[in-house]
Amino acid sequence: MAVDVVIYHNPECGTSRNALAMIRNAGIEPHVVEYLKSPPSRALLVQLIARADMTPRDLLREKDTPYAQLGLGDTSLSDAALVDAMMAHPILINRPLVVSPLGVKLCRPSEAVLDLLPVAQQGAFAKEDGEQVVDAAGQRVS
């Protein structure tokens, strides 16, 4: 079964690497978009936010970004202003954002990606920190 999955990925991010590995553990080779090198267009970003049933603020990343310097904690800023900031500084887009036939989701924690995969995991999976997420039978560990 061919499954079309897109991951907006930052290879420097452990959460993003774990989500990508879980997609591959399901036997899916996703379209990997390194969004810091190839950011989505404004229209696509707005569409992804809407499809994920989020607000721009929900997708805004604070850690290791210019969030504070840009004053993005100001709750009076409009959604358009927040999207403008993400377009100007793609590092402000939280990751990994995953698109599948089952929807769009910010996969934090990384195992949230399992909710978007229409096929089962093909074997055990442990995150980079050793936390077991999927058992040998391909079942999610609670």
Side-chain angles (χ1 to χ4, degrees):
M1 170 180 174
V3 178
D4 195 23
V5 173
V6 178
I7 181 171
Y8 291 87
H9 177 63
N10 179 349
E12 300 299 316
C13 172
T15 301
S16 196
R17 288 191 306 269
N18 283 322
L20 176 57
M22 280 183 261
I23 295 167
R24 289 178 170 153
N25 195 50
I28 299 168
E29 186 52 45
H31 302 280
V32 178
V33 178
E34 288 191 34
Y35 70 94
L36 295 177
K37 293 179 181 176
S38 300
S41 68
R42 181 186 183 84
L44 179 56
L45 182 61
V46 169
Q47 179 188 68
L48 291 169
I49 291 167
R51 288 180 61 200
D53 197 26
M54 300 173 74
T55 67
R57 187 163 297 283
D58 295 333
L59 188 61
L60 201 56
R61 181 170 175 81
E62 294 180 38
K63 184 179 174 191
D64 300 324
T65 73
Y67 177 92
Q69 297 91 317
L70 295 172
L72 298 176
D74 179 351
T75 57
S76 70
L77 290 172
S78 68
D79 285 352
L82 298 177
V83 171
D84 288 343
M86 287 187 263
M87 294 306 303
H89 306 277
I91 192 71
L92 289 165
I93 301 170
N94 214 339
R95 75 281 181 157
L97 193 61
V98 178
V99 180
S100 90
L102 299 180
V104 178
K105 188 176 214 174
L106 174 61
C107 294
R108 299 189 76 80
S110 57
E111 57 268 27
V113 75
L114 297 173
D115 299 332
L116 289 177
L117 301 178
V119 295
Q121 295 285 287
Q122 295 182 344
F125 182 83
K127 293 199 248 183
E128 290 178 359
D129 67 3
E131 179 187 350
Q132 193 71 31
V133 178
V134 176
D135 66 20
Q139 299 300 308
R140 192 175 192 160
V141 175
S142 297

